[in-house]
Amino acid sequence: MQQPPSDQISEAWRRHRPYLINLGYQILGDVGDAEDVAQEAFLRLSRTEPDEIDDVRGWLTVVTSRLCLDQVRSARARYERPTDTGQQALIDESPRADPADRVTLDDEVRAALLEVLRRLSPGERVAFVLHDVFGVPFDTIADTVGRPVGTCRQLARRARAKFTGAQPKLIDVASSEHQLVTEKFITACANGDIAALTAVLDPTVWGVGTVLADPAPPPQVNHGPHNVATNLLRYLGPGATLVTGPAGQPTVLAFADGRLFAAIVLTIRGALITKIEAVADPSAR
């Protein structure tokens, strides 16, 4: 999609599109659908007068959430039934396994996310993701779902309760600090902004990349903000779409043309990233 012509919208596109795609992915469970709702939100923004909106990010959040809610309610998103696999298989899976028996990164993560999403009603899904994952206040959520604030609190509470029996790694919702750092990381990578990326990296940061292949090459290790950032952006390349893992996990998923090709696990301390572990499936690019 071409970048909108207005300077104001172009700036909003650069700053907020990665966030909106991530929001849509957390609700819908499909990166293509998430990209579509983010695109529609910006199309609607382009039809408004700039002076009519005081908080562009807040406005886009509400519009995107409503679009996601409409899509879930109308059953346009057709999810596959999840299997008994989990996202931890991304890290534990042996690259020496028989390719005929190996499940792809995309299958693994989709199954993990759908295992979480299928437990929730549309209202619960939107209320939980907006509040617990992205920190949106309940009065804004009430405007989005068209229900009283108290009802939205109950929806989010019920969503949390439904996670009681879920796998712990699927329900580890990131702290607000971790969420902020992860969002800055995603936005910097999406824009190819090496300065913004190094700004969220600890001076002692190191990164390790593992490729799922047979035979598998040795892991690539990099040290220091500049080296880690440069190699990461070189690998991701232009056009990659980044989102966080299911229910706010400290994991970033990288998609190209709708296909997942890498999972990036972040270690965050003191509002900075101290370690980056990437698992990549080159066959998916």
Side-chain angles (χ1 to χ4, degrees), residues 89-167:
L90 290 175
I91 308 302
D92 295 337
E93 183 183 31
S94 170
R96 297 180 178 83
D98 185 342
D101 297 329
R102 183 169 64 82
V103 180
T104 65
L105 282 174
D106 210 356
D107 291 334
E108 292 285 354
V109 175
R110 184 177 178 83
L113 180 59
L114 294 175
E115 173 63 24
V116 173
L117 292 180
R118 73 183 182 89
R119 298 170 181 265
L120 308 180
S121 70
E124 290 169 346
R125 190 180 298 186
V126 173
F128 174 77
V129 169
L130 285 177
H131 183 266
D132 286 44
V133 178
F134 292 96
V136 176
F138 279 114
D139 55 353
T140 301
I141 297 173
D143 291 338
T144 300
V145 303
R147 299 191 185 185
V149 172
T151 301
C152 293
R153 293 182 186 275
Q154 293 176 355
L155 289 170
R157 190 179 303 118
R158 288 205 301 264
R160 293 184 210 109
K162 288 184 179 181
F163 285 154
T164 301
Q167 298 181 40

Side-chain angles (χ1 to χ4, degrees), residues 7 22 24 26 40-41 50 79 98 126 141 150 162 169-171 173 191 204 210 231 233 247 261 272 285:
D7 290 342
N22 191 19
Q26 299 302 316
E40 177 62 25
Y79 302 126
D98 185 342
V126 173
I141 297 173
K162 288 184 179 181
K169 288 187 180 295
L170 296 181
I171 61 173
V173 178
N191 291 319
T204 64
T210 302
N231 280 279
L233 291 180
F261 68 89
L272 292 174
R285 287 206 79 167

Side-chain angles (χ1 to χ4, degrees), residues 62-83:
V62 171
V63 171
T64 301
S65 301
R66 286 176 176 169
L67 290 168
C68 290
L69 185 60
D70 289 344
Q71 182 161 327
V72 174
R73 283 174 172 169
S74 65
R76 287 198 299 264
R78 299 177 181 177
Y79 302 126
E80 299 173 1
R81 185 171 182 81
T83 65

Side-chain angles (χ1 to χ4, degrees), residues 182-193:
T182 304
E183 183 180 329
K184 289 180 179 178
F185 175 87
I186 287 175
T187 302
C189 290
N191 291 319
D193 189 340

Side-chain angles (χ1 to χ4, degrees), residues 1-14:
M1 175 183 175
Q2 293 183 346
Q3 190 164 307
S6 164
D7 290 342
Q8 292 169 313
I9 294 178
S10 295
E11 176 63 15
W13 175 271
R14 188 188 68 82

